[in-house]
Amino acid sequence: MFTHAEWKARAAALKLRNQCWIDGAFVPSLSGARFETVNPATGAVITDVARGGAEDIDRAVKVARRAFEDRRWSGKTPGERKEVLLKLAALIRENVPELALLDTLDMGKLIKDSSTVDAPGSAYFFQWHAEAIDKIYDEIAPTGGRDLAMVRRIPLGVIGAVVPWNFPLDMATWKLAPALAMGNSVVLKPAEQSPLSALRLAELAAEAGLPDGVLNVVPGYGQDAGQALGRHPDVDCLVFTGSTGVGKLFQRYAGESNMKQVWLETGGKSPNLIFAAADLDKAAEMAAFGIFFNQGEVCSANSRMLVHADVADEMVARMEARARAIVPGDPLDPASTLGSLVDRAHTDTVMGFVEAGKREARLVCGGERVSLNGSDAFVQPTIFVGASQEARIVREEIFGPVLSIQTFRDEEEAVAMANASVYGLAASVWTRDLSRALSLSDRLNAGTVSVNTVDALSAMTPFGGIKQSGFGRDLSIHSFDKYSALKTVWIKY
Ligand code: NDP
């Protein structure tokens, strides 16, 4: 990989795509409006970007509809679509440094992560969904008699996708890969903080052979471009990753417009249960990763540690040592261990929780905002102990590097505390007791339960939540369910 100086030189030499991508071309927004995208780690403006509004969304949806109806993509065989998307995966791999830089500059994540996790991950997820699409069979119902009842899986049409800024390239990919593999057309609205990698991705998709109009990217603000997509009468399905509050708005938009399908991946407050007989060193190592990776800006971050009272002191000491070893630094320096938060406004929000935590609990370490290279969007890894179940830092999603450690006395209490949340995205359990692990995996309310690890995730397994963490699943063969409908074709002979 590159040195700090080399990454900086590459960042300075980047060619930035900053228009809307509609019908296979970069075009300005119809109003001519633009907005600035800022590097949160320095406060410097990276570029200004076309600010799409309702009229640009309408234009993109019309283009996507035409592309779907004339079957330029939907009419291709699964094998043909697979070839194009495999080519896209290869192009992403060839351009990993560039795509990684775009995300790091836009939202402050470490280049060592964006270049080894996010960008290669995007290539892999495209490859996985491409390879899966020609292995899905339709069904014939066992009607008997002189009937042939086929159950066919068909693409839905025009998909609207609205994604957040925490993994800009990967969140877009989790929607686009299955949607495109299935033969749909897509209009994607990236987050206003991080539009650059999605625009480059669209260009690479065209280079891979995706026909014009099948993928369109409209950067802009949520309240106008995002809302317009949510309310558009000719969008068949809206897929969203983001906050629970905005997820609820998309349900409303759908109800007040054309009743489009809405699939939501939203917030979390994931518990990490540590039992006395666990491997505490490994648990601490993974728990630190689970809450501090990506500055804690992870929907499934293990932001609540529930530890058995007998080992609580040992665990807190281990966590403190790990947290103190993680220090905010320049995201472009491969040696840095913590990047900046996405912007100043979000840093203010996170610090608001930290200040609340100082009143609600005992601060173990961290708790300070850090200024670096002209930006104060950095926050120290922060640990609190002893908060009550009612505390804000225990109930609310912080989306920053802030961990709350609480104690329990027995399994019943642990389960009750873990499940006392409006969210149900992920949970972790650390124990060497197999029957306890299995029983807890039954009882914990979460889309994913990880045992003796945190945040277990792969292209092969579905990802998503229950309760107010949303519904519908990204990744795995099940992700295709969101982007297809079942059609019954019944023939009498
Ligand atoms: P937001 O919900 O604020 O934004 C997500 C997207 O929705 C952005 O593109 C945003 O646009 C858009 N949006 C904002 N307001 C509206 C609106 N009124 N109408 C339509 N669209 C709107 O979330 P964040 O970007 O802050 O992301 C963090 C959240 O995402 C956290 O809650 C996190 O838990 C969740 N998340 C969930 C994941 C999961 O899989 N469950 C994975 C990753 C994150 P813009 O920003 O451009 O204004």
Side-chain angles (χ1 to χ4, degrees):
M1 238 339 122
F2 303 115
T3 63
H4 190 188
E6 286 166 342
W7 279 118
K8 288 212 278 200
R10 282 178 167 258
L14 276 177
K15 179 182 166 212
L16 301 169
R17 281 76 176 169
N18 57 7
Q19 307 278 49
C20 304
W21 175 264
I22 298 177
D23 210 5
F26 285 115
V27 292
S29 63
L30 289 167
S31 70
R34 305 185 69 77
F35 66 100
E36 290 178 341
T37 183
V38 172
N39 178 350
T42 61
V45 174
I46 306 168
T47 181
D48 63 346
V49 180
R51 179 178 165 179
E55 60 287 0
D56 302 288
I57 290 289
D58 186 52
R59 182 178 171 195
V61 171
K62 286 195 169 96
V63 162
R65 173 61 61 194
R66 198 177 330 121
F68 184 75
E69 297 300 337
D70 71 16
R71 299 175 58 76
R72 69 186 79 164
W73 179 246
S74 55
K76 288 196 185 304
T77 65
E80 289 169 333
R81 294 198 297 268
K82 173 172 98 170
E83 289 309 315
V84 171
L85 295 178
L86 287 178
K87 179 83 195 300
L88 174 56
L91 286 172
I92 293 169
R93 282 200 181 97
E94 278 171 30
N95 291 280
V96 159
E98 179 189 0
L99 291 162
L101 270 172
L102 293 174
D103 277 359
T104 286
L105 295 179
D106 249 355
M107 55 71 66
K109 71 167 62 208
L110 297 176
I111 194 73
K112 84 171 155 60
D113 293 337
S114 54
S115 62
T116 60
V117 179
D118 298 57
S122 170
Y124 177 64
F125 293 128
F126 270 109
Q127 178 185 335
W128 194 92
H129 286 89
E131 287 172 345
I133 197 64
D134 64 353
K135 293 153 191 84
I136 299 173
Y137 290 76
D138 290 342
E139 299 164 3
I140 295 176
T143 54
R146 295 181 67 83
D147 293 279
L148 178 65
M150 294 180 279
V151 183
R152 303 181 58 193
R153 191 173 281 275
I154 56 166
L156 281 176
V158 176
I159 308 292
V162 178
V163 294
W165 44 259
N166 60 341
F167 295 92
L169 184 63
D170 280 4
M171 290 299 101
T173 299
W174 286 18
K175 311 300 184 197
L176 294 177
L180 294 173
M182 188 50 73
N184 298 283
S185 297
V186 183
V187 177
L188 169 70
K189 194 208 83 69
E192 71 194 55
Q193 294 92 338
S194 56
L196 299 177
S197 61
L199 292 166
R200 180 67 177 125
L201 179 66
E203 195 181 38
L204 290 176
E207 194 182 327
L210 191 73
D212 293 348
V214 173
L215 169 60
N216 306 276
V217 181
V218 181
Y221 292 165
Q223 69 267 23
D224 36 59
Q227 174 163 195
L229 199 51
R231 291 188 182 278
H232 200 286
D234 203 28
V235 169
D236 298 290
C237 170
L238 192 295
V239 287
F240 171 77
T241 294
S243 61
T244 294
V246 174
K248 291 178 183 180
L249 288 179
F250 277 104
Q251 292 183 299
R252 202 169 94 199
Y253 301 155
E256 290 174 358
S257 58
N258 64 337
M259 218 173 82
K260 58 179 69 62
Q261 293 184 34
V262 176
W263 298 102
L264 305 175
E265 302 266 12
T266 51
K269 192 76 191 174
S270 300
N272 185 10
L273 280 60
I274 321 278
F275 285 85
D279 177 344
L280 298 187
D281 286 329
K282 190 70 188 166
E285 177 194 336
M286 294 306 291
F289 168 79
I291 183 60
F292 300 131
F293 175 67
N294 211 44
Q295 299 70 243
E297 294 165 324
V298 179
C299 53
S300 48
N302 318 138
S303 50
R304 292 187 290 149
M305 178 183 285
L306 307 178
V307 55
H308 192 278
D310 288 353
V311 291
D313 290 347
E314 287 174 68
M315 231 13 232
V316 171
R318 282 173 167 81
M319 291 306 296
E320 179 180 356
R322 291 198 172 267
R324 288 191 188 279
I326 298 171
V327 183
D330 181 352
L332 286 179
D333 183 348
S336 292
T337 48
L338 193 77
S340 84
L341 297 193
V342 68
D343 57 23
R344 294 197 67 194
H346 183 57
T347 313
D348 292 343
T349 306
V350 170
M351 287 310 296
F353 280 109
V354 170
E355 294 311 318
K358 288 176 183 172
R359 295 188 295 275
E360 295 172 320
R362 179 172 74 79
L363 179 68
V364 174
C365 60
E368 298 296 329
R369 192 168 186 152
V370 176
S371 290
L372 209 66
N373 299 328
S375 161
D376 64 353
F378 297 85
V379 174
Q380 293 176 329
T382 298
I383 298 178
F384 290 105
V385 292
S388 75
Q389 283 292 88
E390 286 68 45
R392 280 187 69 207
I393 56 165
V394 168
R395 281 186 295 113
E396 297 180 39
E397 183 179 46
I398 299 174
F399 225 56
V402 182
L403 174 68
S404 163
I405 304 182
Q406 300 169 281
T407 55
F408 64 83
R409 290 241 148 249
D410 56 33
E411 191 172 311
E412 285 309 307
E413 190 184 15
V415 171
M417 290 171 78
N419 285 343
S421 172
V422 298
Y423 298 112
L425 189 55
S428 296
V429 180
W430 290 83
T431 177
R432 293 189 172 104
D433 178 339
L434 181 60
S435 86
R436 166 170 279 161
L438 287 170
S439 140
L440 284 170
S441 70
D442 285 345
R443 298 179 69 195
L444 291 171
N445 297 332
T448 299
V449 177
S450 306
V451 178
N452 294 333
T453 184
V454 296
D455 246 349
L457 180 150
S458 83
M460 295 171 283
T461 48
F463 181 87
I466 57 173
K467 297 164 83 177
Q468 292 189 44
S469 292
F471 44 84
R473 293 293 181 264
D474 282 332
L475 306 179
S476 86
I477 214 84
H478 301 284
S479 66
F480 293 114
D481 293 346
K482 295 197 293 199
Y483 303 102
S484 57
L486 297 179
K487 178 183 267 187
T488 300
V489 179
W490 193 306
I491 302 169
K492 282 206 161 289
Y493 61 95

